[in-house]
Amino acid sequence: MVALMLFILLAIITVFGWYSVQRGVHEHHHDMEVLRDIENVFHEFNTRYQNVKFTTMEFMIEPDKKHHQAYLDSLDNLIRTFEQFNRINHGNIDHGFLEQLDQLGKNIEQCRTELDQAVKVRLDAEKTFPFTTIMLALNTDNIEILSLINNILLSASREDLPYETRTRLSDIRYTWVRMMAEFRLLVSVRFGIFTGDWTAAFRDRVNNIKMYFSRLDQLLEELKQEKDRDRLSLEIEADIASLNRQIEDAVQYYRYAISMLNAPDWRQDIVLLGEKIRPAFEHLDSSFNQLHIKIEDIRTASMMQLTSLARQLSDSLWFLFAVGSLLILLGYIIFSRTILMPISQVAQALEDEAGGRKASIKTRSSAQEIRQLTEAFDKMRRQVQSRQQRLVNILDNAAEAIITIDSQGNIETFNAAAEQLFGYRAEEVLGKSVRILIPEENLENYRLLLTGQLVSDDSKSNGESARAFEIDILTKSARRVPVSIKISKTLIDGSTLYTALVVDISERLAREKERQEHIAEMAHAGRLSIMGEMAAGIAHELNQPLAAMSLYLQASLRRCDPEADTCKDIIKAVNSSIEQVERASEIIRKMRSFAHRETFHLEQADLNNIIRKSVDLVLISQQNISPRPELELEPSSLVVNVDVLQIEQVMINLIRNAFDAMQDIAEEQRSLLIKSEIDDKGYVRVSVYDAGEGVSRENVDRIFDTYFTTKADGLGMGLSICRSIIEEHNGVLWYREREEGGSQFCFILPLAGSDNDRPPPDRQETG
Ligand code: ADP
């Protein structure tokens, strides 16, 4: 706003200055035009005036008609020229000039009157003293002499006329012309045309003329004396002789005319003629000169005006320069305060923001656009900050350690999870090489990791991404921690930035180890169960024959006479056999009791968890199976009092059997569902459904028998062990055919806290 007002002020001043200078220049220009017109007329007037003087003199010398007319015409012309002065638009011309002009006009009139009187006197005088006649005769002589000399010079060829003769003839012509001019002057002096002492002037002219005469005499004499005279042609000789004669005659006549002019009885009025003509011209001369001076004055004044105008212009320019500079300075200050400063602050703030420093804008500009710019920047800054904060929060709250590394391998960011994992605080590692976080022997791997040469088919890669690897890292306390590292590469401003996502996998590895151990344990427990079952079977099978053997041996003993000598050894042997049979029975009994599951660790557990864990174990141990078992578990926990390991074994057995049964059918037709619920009698019921071939009718009653199997590599122990485990937990395990095809194996177990001692319900009843 202020800038606009200043600009308007400057514009007004400029326009005003420009106008006044322009007006001054215009005035001066007009004056100069007037002056030019005046001077033109003045020069014209001067010429005319000189002409009047000339014609007057000519008339005085030869007052014939022709000269009289010329005199009258020149006067008319003078007056006409004078009138041109009045036709000029004098404009601002000084009044003194006009007065002078007036005076000049009057003087012309007066001059005319006086000259007219003089002319009259001269005409009168001519009547009594016809000097014109003498002048005419002299003129004729002059013409003849000059034309004669010209004739000689022109007609004679170079060879005819010697150089000296030619030179002398030219000299004669020159001297004659000078003499003629002098004589005309003499006449005009006599008739008073010239100012000053006429008698002295008259005498001087006469002396000059006499000098020319004697010079002519001398030249003519020389001409006669020339030694090359003989070379001249007769014609030229004659011409020269006639020239000699004519000059002598003319000189005589001139002398007569001069004596006439000098005669003492010269008319008085003629003598006084000069007294009339001179003042007439003198007045006109003076007013003419005055006018000339006035014109010079006007020119000077105009130049002065121009000078002052120039000074004024220069002053105005200085003023304009000063005001303009001031305005520019002011404008610059305003511009820099309202535009440059805010812009540079915005730029500085942007730079700060980019450099991660806290940025703020202090100056608020009044220019709307700049205000908008600063506000927009502020808004952007807040958004960037909030985004940055969010990013920092995300980074800090991320479960994974996130480290960014520049192309030189130096750490740029180090989030909270990274601090926790590595034991360093961010300030300790920022800007340092990432090598401090890697054990010596892994540095090569790390290098390969960054250069992308460590590829995903590495045995340790977790398969999720081409750049996730499992290696050890080094914590601040020099502890090695196994981690999974995923590195992504970004190109920012032409330099590479690596982002490493580091996940501590020590727990996962520990869990995996535990699980492996568990599987091994399960296998061991399975083997033990099978052994126990086998031992029980063997014991059962051997007990009968051993008991029979014992009976037979005792009967044999009774039939022997203990006194008879022949029997003594038999009795001894039979007794030994009985002893051995009893020993065998004892061994079998001991074997049975050893194989019997004495390691029965009852504990309260959620059956749902047991199911989940069993499914996991099957999936881990048999990786290529599909589909994943579908779970439909009772939402509430199903707490049972069981040997967890054994129930897991049951579940694993049932799941494996189900997968075995579906081995030969197409993958998309396979399905495996595991359900847990509380039945209407308050038992926990677990059902395993499969879509396999099911159990054929003739085998239905045998599948739970020990050693019954339909599989080529089967032992036929699984189901029988399962049943005995479930029954030992006061539960029931049974099979049921599914209408849609496939098998359904179910077991029930009492809930913990319920009456565990009650006998298991009838299988059929439950089914
Ligand atoms: P094995 O698995 O070693 O054969 P089991 O006692 O676990 O011993 O199983 C006995 C038999 O019962 C199996 O050979 C099979 O014929 C039958 N059987 C078990 N589970 C299923 C099932 N889900 N579907 C069809 N048949 C089964």
Side-chain angles (χ1 to χ4, degrees):
M1 194 62 205
V2 178
L4 189 72
M5 277 168 63
L6 284 173
F7 180 75
I8 291 170
L9 187 69
L10 185 65
I12 290 171
I13 290 169
T14 310
V15 167
F16 181 73
W18 178 80
Y19 173 74
S20 62
V21 168
Q22 188 72 12
R23 208 186 53 185
V25 167
H26 186 261
E27 274 174 11
H28 173 75
H29 181 71
H30 182 254
D31 285 0
M32 288 314 273
E33 269 183 357
V34 172
L35 195 66
R36 191 193 62 207
D37 290 349
I38 288 173
E39 280 185 331
N40 283 342
V41 177
F42 182 77
H43 286 305
E44 176 85 11
F45 183 82
N46 187 23
T47 314
R48 301 285 181 210
Y49 181 41
Q50 297 310 324
N51 201 34
V52 168
K53 281 184 174 174
F54 179 74
T55 53
T56 308
M57 186 188 77
E58 288 291 295
F59 175 78
M60 290 303 159
I61 297 166
E62 288 175 77
D64 56 4
K65 258 194 179 145
K66 189 181 89 184
H67 285 114
H68 189 227
Q69 192 53 48
Y71 156 76
L72 290 175
D73 288 349
S74 70
L75 262 179
D76 280 351
N77 283 336
L78 183 72
I79 289 163
R80 259 204 303 283
T81 307
F82 175 75
E83 278 165 0
Q84 280 183 23
F85 274 121
N86 293 324
R87 280 204 288 280
I88 295 170
N89 175 20
H90 298 118
N92 296 336
I93 292 301
D94 168 35
H95 283 290
F97 171 76
L98 295 179
E99 272 170 31
Q100 203 55 52
L101 207 60
D102 226 32
Q103 187 59 47
L104 184 66
K106 281 178 193 155
N107 285 346
I108 290 169
E109 277 309 313
Q110 195 188 339
C111 176
R112 185 186 193 153
T113 320
E114 285 169 353
L115 283 182
D116 278 354
Q117 285 170 5
V119 165
K120 229 167 146 240
V121 170
R122 179 72 184 91
L123 283 174
D124 277 357
E126 192 64 19
K127 284 174 193 158
T128 52
F129 182 74
F131 191 74
T132 312
T133 319
I134 296 172
M135 283 300 284
L136 278 173
L138 284 175
N139 278 351
T140 314
D141 284 352
N142 289 337
I143 290 163
E144 277 176 5
I145 288 167
L146 289 178
S147 60
L148 197 57
I149 295 173
N150 283 348
N151 269 346
I152 298 168
L153 285 174
L154 290 173
S155 63
S157 65
R158 230 167 248 283
E159 293 77 40
D160 291 345
L161 201 62
Y163 176 75
E164 287 79 15
T165 316
R166 183 178 291 276
T167 314
R168 277 192 190 103
L169 283 172
S170 294
D171 277 358
I172 292 168
R173 183 174 58 184
Y174 173 75
T175 313
W176 192 260
V177 171
R178 294 300 307 267
M179 187 278 294
M180 274 163 56
E182 209 64 16
F183 182 76
R184 271 190 104 71
L185 268 174
L186 179 78
V187 176
S188 66
V189 168
R190 192 69 183 96
F191 289 105
I193 311 299
F194 294 106
T195 49
D197 179 6
W198 78 272
T199 45
F202 191 89
R203 196 176 52 243
D204 287 349
R205 301 283 86 74
V206 170
N207 286 341
N208 282 347
I209 290 167
K210 281 181 177 164
M211 192 187 77
Y212 288 131
F213 284 164
S214 61
R215 170 80 181 136
L216 280 169
D217 263 357
Q218 187 191 348
L219 284 170
L220 288 172
E221 193 55 33
E222 280 172 13
L223 203 61
K224 267 186 224 161
Q225 305 291 316
E226 261 175 28
K227 53 179 185 293
D228 290 334
R229 195 75 195 258
D230 320 338
R231 275 181 54 204
L232 293 175
S233 67
L234 282 175
E235 210 178 325
I236 292 172
E237 193 86 43
D239 280 350
I240 288 176
S242 122
L243 177 68
N244 227 332
R245 213 171 33 250
Q246 287 219 7
I247 287 176
E248 274 171 12
D249 289 353
V251 167
Q252 286 305 316
Y253 204 56
Y254 268 107
R255 285 188 198 279
Y256 164 70
I258 291 167
S259 68
M260 288 272 283
L261 289 173
N262 204 17
D265 56 343
W266 191 260
R267 278 182 52 157
Q268 197 56 36
D269 50 353
I270 288 291
V271 174
L272 293 178
L273 208 54
E275 302 306 316
K276 284 193 183 308
I277 296 170
R278 270 197 306 278
F281 283 127
E282 265 167 15
H283 287 133
L284 202 54
D285 269 350
S286 108
S287 69
F288 176 78
N289 285 337
Q290 287 296 322
L291 189 71
H292 194 199
I293 289 165
K294 274 284 168 235
I295 289 172
E296 283 306 311
D297 282 355
I298 292 167
R299 175 187 292 282
T300 312
S302 184
M303 290 317 287
M304 293 287 282
Q305 190 192 346
L306 191 65
T307 312
S308 95
L309 204 64
R311 198 170 297 130
Q312 196 184 330
L313 181 66
S314 142
D315 288 353
S316 314
L317 281 177
W318 273 112
F319 178 72
L320 269 180
F321 173 73
V323 173
S325 308
L326 204 71
L327 283 183
I328 288 169
L329 190 71
L330 212 64
Y332 177 74
I333 291 169
I334 293 167
F335 183 72
S336 78
R337 276 199 66 78
T338 55
I339 293 169
L340 291 185
M341 219 147 84
I343 286 181
S344 83
Q345 281 192 4
V346 169
Q348 181 61 46
L350 277 171
E351 219 165 86
D352 286 353
E353 203 68 51
R357 296 179 291 278
K358 203 166 160 47
S360 71
I361 302 171
K362 286 170 211 82
T363 316
R364 297 282 149 187
S365 170
S366 56
Q368 200 188 354
E369 293 76 8
I370 298 300
R371 210 168 41 235
Q372 279 173 352
L373 182 68
T374 18
E375 280 166 12
F377 168 72
D378 254 3
K379 199 168 153 193
M380 187 196 80
R381 190 165 53 88
R382 281 198 299 277
Q383 280 176 357
V384 167
Q385 274 172 357
S386 90
R387 253 181 237 159
Q388 213 170 12
Q389 194 51 48
R390 253 181 279 160
L391 212 64
V392 168
N393 285 349
I394 289 170
L395 276 182
D396 282 349
N397 293 328
E400 290 91 359
I402 300 171
I403 304 170
T404 54
I405 304 152
D406 65 16
S407 52
Q408 258 73 50
N410 296 328
I411 300 170
E412 275 196 355
T413 59
F414 201 73
N415 75 341
E419 285 183 336
Q420 208 171 357
L421 174 61
F422 288 91
Y424 286 105
R425 274 180 295 111
E427 310 85 82
E428 293 178 273
V429 291
L430 288 183
K432 287 195 182 143
S433 170
V434 73
R435 285 161 179 270
I436 57 165
L437 306 176
I438 298 157
E440 193 84 32
E441 69 273 16
N442 275 349
L443 281 176
E444 181 57 17
N445 273 351
Y446 161 73
R447 196 184 60 76
L448 295 175
L449 204 66
L450 283 192
T451 52
Q453 292 171 37
L454 206 60
V455 286
S456 58
D457 58 2
D458 187 289
S459 58
K460 281 191 165 186
S461 165
N462 65 7
E464 275 174 39
S465 149
R467 286 188 177 272
F469 300 91
E470 290 179 7
I471 58 171
D472 281 358
I473 51 96
L474 203 63
T475 66
K476 189 180 182 182
S477 53
R479 195 163 57 83
R480 274 151 204 273
V481 179
V483 294
S484 153
I485 291 191
K486 205 188 250 180
I487 291 191
S488 59
K489 203 168 158 187
T490 341
L491 214 64
I492 295 173
D493 292 341
S495 58
T496 318
L497 185 79
Y498 298 96
T499 307
L501 212 74
V502 189
V503 182
D504 181 356
I505 55 168
S506 52
E507 236 172 71
R508 196 189 86 203
L509 289 184
R511 255 201 329 275
E512 249 166 42
K513 194 172 163 210
E514 197 182 304
R515 206 174 286 167
Q516 293 294 342
E517 282 169 5
H518 191 69
I519 289 171
E521 204 179 322
M522 288 284 298
H524 179 66
R527 276 197 300 278
L528 274 184
S529 306
I530 291 166
M531 235 173 71
E533 208 61 33
M534 279 170 78
I538 291 166
H540 182 72
E541 296 298 324
L542 289 183
N543 245 359
Q544 294 297 326
L546 281 176
M549 264 173 80
S550 183
L551 280 174
Y552 284 128
L553 282 172
Q554 276 174 15
S556 302
L557 204 61
R558 274 196 302 272
R559 294 223 171 101
C560 278
D561 181 8
E563 302 304 324
D565 285 343
T566 49
C567 287
K568 272 187 183 165
D569 285 345
I570 294 168
I571 289 167
K572 205 177 166 190
V574 169
N575 271 336
S576 294
S577 297
I578 289 169
E579 250 176 56
Q580 289 305 318
V581 166
E582 273 175 2
R583 205 167 143 230
S585 299
E586 188 55 34
I587 288 168
I588 286 167
R589 217 173 23 253
K590 273 188 182 165
M591 201 173 104
R592 247 185 119 173
S593 79
F594 173 74
H596 196 268
R597 279 164 294 279
E598 284 165 306
T599 48
F600 213 59
H601 297 298
L602 285 182
E603 58 182 309
Q604 290 208 338
D606 182 354
L607 196 57
N608 282 342
N609 282 347
I610 296 176
I611 294 170
R612 286 192 198 100
K613 196 167 176 192
S614 308
V615 169
D616 278 355
L617 284 170
V618 174
L619 292 178
I620 287 165
S621 56
Q622 275 172 285
Q623 286 188 354
N624 294 327
I625 56 168
S626 76
R628 278 184 80 88
E630 200 182 319
L631 299 183
E632 247 182 61
L633 303 180
E634 175 73 29
S636 58
S637 52
L638 303 171
V639 184
V640 284
N641 204 18
V642 293
D643 184 323
V644 173
L645 220 58
Q646 289 191 357
I647 301 300
E648 276 177 7
Q649 200 183 336
V650 170
M651 278 311 299
I652 288 169
N653 239 311
L654 294 180
I655 294 166
R656 276 187 181 158
N657 275 349
F659 277 120
D660 285 347
M662 292 190 290
Q663 217 166 31
D664 294 335
I665 63 164
E667 212 162 287
E668 59 275 11
Q669 288 170 5
R670 295 178 194 174
S671 81
L672 175 56
L673 172 67
I674 302 171
K675 241 177 171 176
S676 72
E677 61 202 322
I678 296 176
D679 71 4
D680 47 4
K681 294 198 176 72
Y683 281 86
V684 179
R685 183 151 102 178
V686 178
S687 315
V688 180
Y689 302 86
D690 68 59
E693 75 257 24
V695 180
S696 62
R697 204 141 286 201
E698 64 269 23
N699 290 341
V700 167
D701 294 332
R702 299 168 63 201
I703 51 171
F704 288 101
D705 289 352
T706 316
Y707 311 127
F708 176 79
T709 179
T710 56
K711 301 168 193 171
D713 54 348
L715 277 177
M717 307 278 305
L719 283 179
S720 96
I721 292 171
C722 289
R723 176 166 272 180
S724 53
I725 290 172
I726 293 296
E727 284 174 357
E728 272 169 32
H729 284 84
N730 292 332
V732 183
L733 169 66
W734 70 96
Y735 164 77
R736 221 174 161 201
E737 198 181 318
R738 289 180 77 188
E739 275 171 25
E740 59 271 44
S743 312
Q744 176 186 356
F745 283 87
C746 301
F747 67 83
I748 53 167
L749 286 173
L751 271 169
S754 65
D755 186 2
N756 274 357
D757 290 337
R758 66 181 176 170
D762 185 70
R763 221 180 305 165
Q764 305 308 324
E765 206 182 301
T766 324

